[in-house]
Amino acid sequence: MINRTLIRLKVVQMMYAYYLDEGKSTANAEKELQKSLDKAFNLYNYSLLLIPAITDYAARRLEEREAINRAAHVDTTLSHRFVDNRFVQVLRSNSDLHHYAEDEKLSWNNEVPYLKSVYEKIVESDFYNDYMEKDSVTFEDDRELWRLIYKRIISKDEDFDEVLEEQSLYWNDDRIVVDTFVLKTIKHLSEENGSEQPLEPAYKDEEDHLYALNLFRYSIKYGEQYRDLISRNIQNWEFNRLAYMDIIIMQTAIAEMKNYPNIPISVTINEFVEIAKWYSTPRSSAYVNGVLDTISKRLDRFSL
């Protein structure tokens, strides 16, 4: 789940913090980098747990309405289709999610106002009403409903951002990447595999896990050489006038180009240009792209 796009972003963030820290402790920075990556995986699981939490809230609302009807002697049968959603039942029973939530003490129990808010947005949606009006529904229908809920409501919900910001400083920056993996999990969760279907792992493999730490180390260890490369390859601009974040982004990109020859240079440049779009000035992405392209054509792709 923690892919290289997210790793690059985290390394750039930690590089920026490292150079702002007068103590410049690489050991502490590496610990913070690992903590930040762990939090991204934490958010992935927390986001999945939101689905059964909303369903539980809906079930409580349904019970309250039924109790009111009974007290008023109103003989009206209310639909249980939403709360009996089979996709939610499979997700709720998932062993990986259950054990992770227990170990990390993840819960939505204290976020009832948010659960209420998002549930009300769901029931107002056209796709919810279409789902509820079907003559019958399959597991695929149940799963598709939640894919739409997550994609069209939750992933775009500013209230969700506020909930995350209160709980972790790391989480809002991770949402774009994490949301793609939540949607991927929803799409691939099957009824046949039941509770034992594996969710996304924290890392694809050990190589990706080491890539995060090593990219940070290369960026620091050879920082002076990489900054010299940048200084020698900028045109019509003085090095000390560059946006500081641009320098950090290009320094990290050069570390990848120099030390990971198996990654195509075009991929490296594109990935770090995207980071410049998110985290630097409006003009940065075009400038970073130009400088990195120039450097790449003159680069000896062997580790210094």
Side-chain angles (χ1 to χ4, degrees):
M1 187 241 102
I2 301 174
N3 63 6
R4 293 199 173 187
T5 295
L6 183 58
I7 289 171
R8 291 180 181 100
L9 176 58
K10 293 293 186 183
V11 171
V12 166
Q13 290 173 340
M14 200 52 56
M15 287 277 293
Y16 189 82
Y18 171 82
Y19 282 113
L20 289 182
D21 178 11
E22 294 182 0
K24 291 186 174 59
S25 168
T26 54
N28 288 341
E30 288 174 10
K31 288 178 183 178
E32 280 296 308
L33 174 61
Q34 186 59 61
K35 181 180 177 181
S36 179
L37 290 166
D38 290 343
K39 279 292 186 181
F41 189 59
N42 202 261
L43 175 58
Y44 165 72
N45 285 272
Y46 191 61
S47 298
L48 287 173
L49 287 168
L50 177 58
I51 294 172
I54 293 169
T55 305
D56 289 344
Y57 175 81
R60 292 193 297 272
R61 288 273 294 262
L62 184 61
E63 289 172 2
E64 291 168 0
R65 289 174 61 195
E66 289 179 331
I68 291 170
N69 286 350
R70 285 194 300 270
H73 303 289
V74 176
D75 186 19
T76 302
T77 301
L78 300 177
S79 174
H80 284 234
R81 177 173 289 178
F82 183 74
V83 300
D84 290 341
N85 184 289
R86 284 180 289 166
F87 165 77
V88 178
Q89 293 172 10
V90 171
L91 180 62
R92 186 195 304 277
S93 69
N94 185 271
S95 297
D96 286 353
L97 185 61
H98 175 73
H99 293 311
Y100 188 89
E102 280 196 338
D103 292 343
E104 297 295 321
K105 298 179 173 55
L106 294 178
S107 171
W108 283 90
N109 290 342
N110 295 326
E111 300 296 340
V112 174
Y114 178 69
L115 298 178
K116 176 178 182 292
S117 169
V118 72
Y119 174 67
E120 290 174 350
K121 292 172 185 175
I122 291 169
V123 299
E124 291 173 359
S125 67
D126 292 339
F127 54 84
Y128 168 85
N129 288 296
D130 290 343
Y131 167 82
M132 295 298 288
E133 290 173 4
K134 286 178 179 285
D135 292 336
S136 63
V137 293
T138 64
F139 177 83
E140 288 70 26
D141 292 326
D142 288 350
R143 181 175 58 195
E144 177 62 9
L145 173 69
W146 275 101
R147 188 189 72 82
L148 292 172
I149 290 171
Y150 200 92
K151 183 176 182 179
R152 297 187 184 179
I153 297 177
I154 297 172
S155 68
K156 302 178 185 298
D157 192 2
E158 293 181 359
D159 292 337
F160 192 25
D161 289 329
E162 292 181 11
V163 171
L164 299 183
E165 189 173 349
E166 289 176 1
Q167 298 195 45
S168 173
L169 295 174
Y170 298 100
W171 277 355
N172 279 346
D173 286 339
D174 301 339
R175 273 201 65 189
I176 294 175
V177 174
V178 170
D179 281 347
T180 64
F181 283 96
V182 173
L183 288 165
K184 180 181 177 181
T185 299
I186 293 172
K187 182 178 179 180
H188 292 129
L189 202 68
S190 71
E191 194 170 25
E192 292 77 17
N193 292 328
S195 63
E196 298 308 312
Q197 179 165 335
L199 301 180
E200 291 289 324
Y203 295 91
K204 181 182 72 174
D205 49 36
E206 184 60 22
E207 183 180 350
D208 268 13
H209 192 184
L210 292 174
Y211 164 80
L213 187 59
N214 287 333
L215 181 61
F216 178 76
R217 288 174 174 170
Y218 290 137
S219 299
I220 297 297
K221 183 176 181 179
Y222 302 119
E224 289 187 14
Q225 292 96 319
Y226 297 160
R227 290 187 181 212
D228 181 60
L229 267 175
I230 297 167
S231 181
R232 286 188 281 113
N233 286 279
I234 56 177
Q235 296 179 351
N236 304 321
W237 204 252
E238 294 177 12
F239 183 81
N240 60 7
R241 293 181 61 196
L242 293 178
Y244 192 60
M245 179 57 83
D246 290 355
I247 296 172
I248 296 295
I249 290 168
M250 289 188 284
Q251 180 177 333
T252 312
I254 294 167
E256 181 171 293
M257 288 192 286
K258 286 284 289 182
N259 296 283
Y260 289 91
N262 59 316
I263 300 176
I265 283 179
S266 61
V267 170
T268 298
I269 293 175
N270 288 339
E271 289 282 332
F272 284 94
V273 166
E274 285 301 308
I275 293 175
K277 289 179 183 177
W278 299 338
Y279 285 96
S280 200
T281 69
R283 298 174 57 188
S284 291
S285 59
Y287 193 79
V288 166
N289 182 71
V291 174
L292 289 179
D293 183 61
T294 300
I295 290 173
S296 70
K297 293 171 181 175
R298 303 173 182 175
L299 200 62
D300 178 16
R301 294 193 79 186
F302 293 95
S303 178
L304 289 168

